[in-house]
Amino acid sequence: EREAEEDEWYIDALAVFTNWGRKGIGTRLLQAAEQQARQHGYPKIALNVAPENEQALSLYQRLQYVVTQETFLYHHPYVRLVKHLENG
């Protein structure tokens, strides 16, 4: 199934062990992905997350990822989030 648009860098999987949570690791992983997207010339970065993963949703929204739709992928519900990247 199509998970990203042509102009989006797509984060397919991001995970932090529970006992390592709330230490900034997820934020740093997202920042590294955003830097990769910029280096490759993508204006946006996107991901999907399970709607019940409230902790991840909160992190993404805190980092300016915006919910663009609710969707189904592989017969499971997901929330799609996109962030517009600035240069630099």
Side-chain angles (χ1 to χ4, degrees), residues 21-70:
R22 309 204 61 81
K23 296 182 184 337
I25 296 168
T27 297
R28 289 195 299 273
L29 289 170
L30 287 164
Q31 290 169 339
E34 291 168 13
Q35 186 60 34
Q36 287 286 310
R38 285 185 194 95
Q39 288 173 352
H40 286 88
Y42 284 85
K44 297 187 281 185
I45 188 165
L47 54 84
N48 290 293
V49 64
E52 66 273 8
N53 192 343
E54 294 175 11
Q55 192 169 357
L57 270 168
S58 176
L59 170 64
Y60 302 142
Q61 290 175 320
R62 194 166 58 251
L63 295 175
Q64 285 101 38
Y65 286 75
V66 176
V67 174
T68 60
Q69 73 182 86
E70 294 181 14

Side-chain angles (χ1 to χ4, degrees), residues 72-85:
F72 278 84
L73 293 169
Y74 309 101
H75 310 290
H76 296 283
Y78 286 92
V79 176
R80 176 175 163 70
L81 295 102
V82 176
K83 180 176 180 176
H84 290 268
L85 301 172

